[in-house]
Amino acid sequence: MTRKFILMIIVPLLYVSAMAQTSDATYSFTEASDLNIIGKIHEDTPNPYHRVDTARYQGWNKVENIQVRCPAGLAVLFRTNSSAISVKTVYGWTSEFINMTAISYKGYDLYIKQDGEWLYAASGVSRPSQEEENLVLASNLGDGYKECMLYLPIYCEVLSVKIGVEQGADIQYLESPFRHRIGIYGSSFTQGICASRAGMSYPMQMMRNTGLQFLSLGCGGNGKMQPHFAEILCDADVDALVFDTFSNPSAEIIQERLFPFIEKIRSAHPDIPLVFQQTIYRERRNFDSKYMRREKEKQETAARLMKEACRKYESVYFIQTNATDQKHSTSVDGTHPNDYGYTLWAESIEKPLLKILRRHGIN
């Protein structure tokens, strides 16, 4: 092996090693929970990145317990004059998903406000072997202060999130521009499964589009109107509740649970609007006749019962959804929409939902 070849190998390695040793020294870090975390349905969790304090409620299965500890729908607001922004993470529970990008299930999604609109800036995820590395999300951002919104991961648990700015730069708490507190409970769709990054779930798209704050309690496969989820929603400080509760349960479970679920929540929130969404058309049903029958039965049961519920209960509503195009080509895995599908979903419910909310003084 020639000396020149050895140097070609060693010099880049020394450079990478030096960068790894000095990269943290060029940044100062602030714990995200010391800034402004928005999107939490329960504010008072011991871990600030959990959506629910699981010790307060009984009846969890193992997966539900994990899911409500995931920070799906949470974002950190801050203001900085740094020209680079990084993040360091201490993870709790993590896994891998074949139908999701790593950026979405355990990574970060950064938006910066420009001309009054939230504009995508950067996204990224740490390497599996170096999860606690200082991950530089954005650089060359220029001078001046920037208003930032950093979405947290969709499907993992985080114990610490430290936001890095350049040494000597400032980072400040940013007041939320989002209005009201609108809880949204449901399935993997509401959690954002198969969105390419955390900011592309349909509740987060609606939040940026409308300026209303949506508090996500989406739990993949577990939006089935279970009693402990009803208790969580009863204890939530909310101005309205939106539901994606017909996607996971069978027609039989919908029949059994819907009215008791409404009545329990209504006992705690006697005046707020309760808005239920029809489940979307899943593209797996295109050629699977058995799946088609099952999905059709769920939708028909939901429509029939909600017609009765809207007559029976005050301020209960039922709206239609759409997450596919005319060619039925917006699915990632036959069940979950891609980013475009989630955009279509947000667009399909925005106008009827805003009309209902305005009726209740929520603008």
Side-chain angles (χ1 to χ4, degrees):
M1 188 178 290
T2 67
R3 183 174 175 225
K4 181 178 180 181
F5 183 74
I6 292 171
L7 287 173
M8 288 173 63
I9 295 173
I10 291 175
V11 170
L13 287 175
L14 289 173
Y15 175 76
V16 170
S17 176
M19 287 295 291
Q21 291 169 6
T22 62
S23 60
D24 284 11
T26 64
Y27 289 82
S28 60
F29 295 92
T30 302
E31 188 68 38
S33 57
D34 292 334
L35 298 167
N36 188 8
I37 297 180
I38 60 171
K40 290 191 67 170
I41 195 150
H42 281 192
E43 299 273 7
D44 56 344
T45 57
N47 178 326
Y49 309 110
H50 288 176
R51 294 182 288 172
V52 175
D53 178 1
T54 56
R56 286 179 57 184
Y57 302 92
Q58 303 298 316
W60 304 109
N61 65 36
K62 183 178 179 180
V63 176
E64 292 168 355
N65 191 291
I66 286 170
Q67 288 172 334
V68 297
R69 301 201 315 264
C70 298
L74 273 57
V76 186
L77 293 175
F78 59 96
R79 184 172 178 265
T80 183
N81 61 351
S82 178
S83 66
I85 296 169
S86 71
V87 64
K88 289 179 70 173
T89 311
V90 178
Y91 291 95
W93 176 88
T94 62
S95 187
E96 295 183 4
F97 298 87
I98 60 172
N99 58 352
M100 295 178 70
T101 67
I103 285 176
S104 115
Y105 71 78
K106 61 177 291 190
Y108 295 89
D109 192 9
L110 177 67
Y111 281 71
I112 296 176
K113 186 171 278 190
Q114 184 178 82
D115 300 325
E117 301 289 336
W118 290 107
L119 185 65
Y120 169 80
S123 50
V125 65
S126 299
R127 292 166 289 184
S129 61
Q130 298 185 26
E131 288 184 336
E132 295 183 33
E133 71 178 337
N134 181 30
L135 173 69
V136 179
L137 285 173
S139 55
N140 306 309
L141 296 176
D143 299 327
Y145 279 91
K146 295 156 279 288
E147 294 185 355
C148 303
M149 178 164 59
L150 180 66
Y151 289 103
L152 304 185
I154 287 176
Y155 211 135
C156 71
E157 181 184 29
V158 294
L159 307 180
S160 171
V161 179
K162 288 185 168 65
I163 297 174
V165 297
E166 294 169 312
Q167 286 284 359
D170 194 19
I171 184 168
Q172 303 171 356
Y173 181 103
L174 177 66
E175 289 289 345
S176 175
F178 297 102
R179 306 178 302 280
H180 304 288
R181 289 178 55 83
I182 302 168
I184 185 162
Y185 163 64
S187 69
S188 56
F189 300 138
T190 298
Q191 188 171 355
I193 304 305
C194 286
S196 64
R197 45 192 172 82
M200 291 307 292
S201 68
Y202 79 87
M204 297 307 99
Q205 292 196 51
M206 284 200 302
M207 195 162 157
R208 293 194 302 276
N209 292 343
T210 66
L212 298 173
Q213 181 182 197
F214 287 90
L215 318 168
S216 177
L217 191 61
C219 293
N222 289 298
K224 299 178 182 178
M225 299 179 281
Q226 303 94 313
H228 47 287
F229 279 105
E231 290 174 16
I232 292 166
L233 296 170
C234 286
D235 292 342
D237 176 18
V238 290
D239 303 308
L241 286 169
V242 179
F243 303 96
D244 155 36
T245 49
F246 304 133
S247 298
N248 291 148
S250 64
E252 291 76 18
I253 291 177
I254 294 171
Q255 177 81 44
E256 173 191 336
R257 293 182 180 175
L258 178 59
F259 287 3
F261 182 75
I262 293 174
E263 288 163 6
K264 185 172 182 65
I265 291 173
R266 184 51 86 210
S267 69
H269 300 292
D271 302 316
I272 70 171
L274 307 181
V275 185
F276 288 81
Q277 303 176 74
Q278 177 61 284
T279 188
I280 63 170
Y281 180 101
R282 301 188 189 194
E283 294 171 350
R284 181 181 155 193
R285 67 192 281 183
N286 290 344
F287 296 101
D288 187 328
S289 57
K290 183 178 179 181
Y291 196 74
M292 169 73 86
R293 285 193 298 273
R294 193 192 82 170
E295 288 295 299
K296 189 168 182 274
E297 185 181 11
K298 283 166 53 175
Q299 289 183 315
E300 289 175 349
T301 300
R304 173 174 55 81
L305 292 175
M306 283 307 304
K307 186 176 182 180
E308 182 180 347
C310 291
R311 290 196 304 263
K312 184 175 181 179
Y313 304 107
E314 195 78 25
S315 301
V316 171
Y317 305 92
F318 186 50
I319 60 177
Q320 300 300 311
T321 58
N322 174 58
T324 187
D325 58 14
Q326 291 183 340
K327 296 182 179 179
H328 291 306
S329 60
T330 61
S331 176
V332 170
D333 56 6
T335 297
H336 301 92
N338 57 21
D339 288 353
Y340 178 51
Y342 281 128
T343 297
L344 292 175
W345 186 331
E347 290 174 349
S348 73
I349 67 171
E350 183 175 314
K351 189 175 290 186
L353 180 58
L354 290 181
K355 183 178 180 181
I356 291 166
L357 295 177
R358 281 196 297 268
R359 192 180 303 174
H360 292 266
I362 302 169
N363 297 297

